[in-house]
Amino acid sequence: MSIIDRRGHSDDDEVCLLQRGRVGGRQVVDHQVELPRVHLAYRIPPFGTNAHESFNVLSDVLGTGRASRLYRSLVRERQLAADVAAFVFPWAYGSTALGIWATARPEVAVEELETQLLADVDQLAATGPSDEELARVRTLHAAVAVAVVLALAG
């Protein structure tokens, strides 16, 4: 598995991590919802490449579990979000996507949540994941692999 280093490059130098840009622009959808949600999407390399696997790790660093970077920052510490998630779409052909969302708490302006969410993603792009975050994700991936084997064993 290829891990993206602190400069934002994978060891095979295929991709730069989370380059900021407004490829698709910004869209606000006005619906009657109880809590607004901010969605982000980034184009990432195709499924099956080392670079894609690096983003799979980064999605777990960002948004998988209560120890993830976004949960810690947006839900526990700043109390801006009710929930967060980050995930990759493993499309078989062409570029795929890294999706991120955060649901605003009732008293929080969605613009404030969006600003902090983007700042947290930018910080990861600038500094890379910590050793502790990578260790947590390794443990998470190992636990999933054991659960799959146990489920197959019946």
Side-chain angles (χ1 to χ4, degrees), residues 121-142:
V121 171
D122 287 347
Q123 181 185 21
L124 179 61
T127 64
S130 70
D131 292 340
E132 293 81 18
E133 288 172 319
L134 291 175
R136 181 186 70 82
V137 170
R138 277 190 215 92
T139 301
L140 176 68
H141 288 192

Side-chain angles (χ1 to χ4, degrees), residues 55-125:
F55 281 96
N56 199 23
V57 169
L58 287 175
S59 72
D60 289 334
V61 167
L62 278 169
T64 301
R66 293 181 177 201
S68 69
R69 184 178 289 213
L70 293 177
Y71 191 93
R72 183 180 65 244
S73 171
L74 300 175
V75 177
R76 281 200 323 256
E77 293 173 0
R78 292 183 176 87
Q79 298 185 358
L80 298 174
D83 68 357
V84 296
F87 46 90
V88 295
F89 293 98
W91 297 320
Y93 300 102
S95 291
T96 58
L98 167 67
I100 302 169
W101 85 59
T103 306
R105 293 173 57 98
E107 67 279 6
V108 173
V110 71
E111 295 81 10
E112 181 182 5
L113 176 59
E114 179 183 18
T115 298
Q116 189 57 53
L117 177 59
L118 288 169
D120 287 346
V121 171
D122 287 347
Q123 181 185 21
L124 179 61

Side-chain angles (χ1 to χ4, degrees), residues 4-5 23 29 44 49 72 82 91-92 97 139:
I4 292 185
D5 69 18
V23 174
V29 179
I44 62 174
T49 63
R72 183 180 65 244
W91 297 320
T139 301

Side-chain angles (χ1 to χ4, degrees), residues 10-74:
S10 62
D11 59 3
D12 57 7
D13 209 24
E14 288 182 33
V15 65
C16 183
L17 165 67
L18 302 179
Q19 293 178 340
R20 282 295 287 281
R22 301 277 186 194
V23 174
R26 183 175 190 274
Q27 182 178 10
V28 176
V29 179
D30 189 22
H31 286 291
Q32 296 295 326
V33 295
E34 288 190 36
L35 298 174
R37 179 176 280 167
V38 177
H39 292 264
L40 302 177
Y42 296 88
R43 292 175 86 172
I44 62 174
F47 178 72
T49 63
N50 287 338
H52 180 86
E53 289 304 316
S54 298
F55 281 96
N56 199 23
V57 169
L58 287 175
S59 72
D60 289 334
V61 167
L62 278 169
T64 301
R66 293 181 177 201
S68 69
R69 184 178 289 213
L70 293 177
Y71 191 93
R72 183 180 65 244
S73 171
L74 300 175

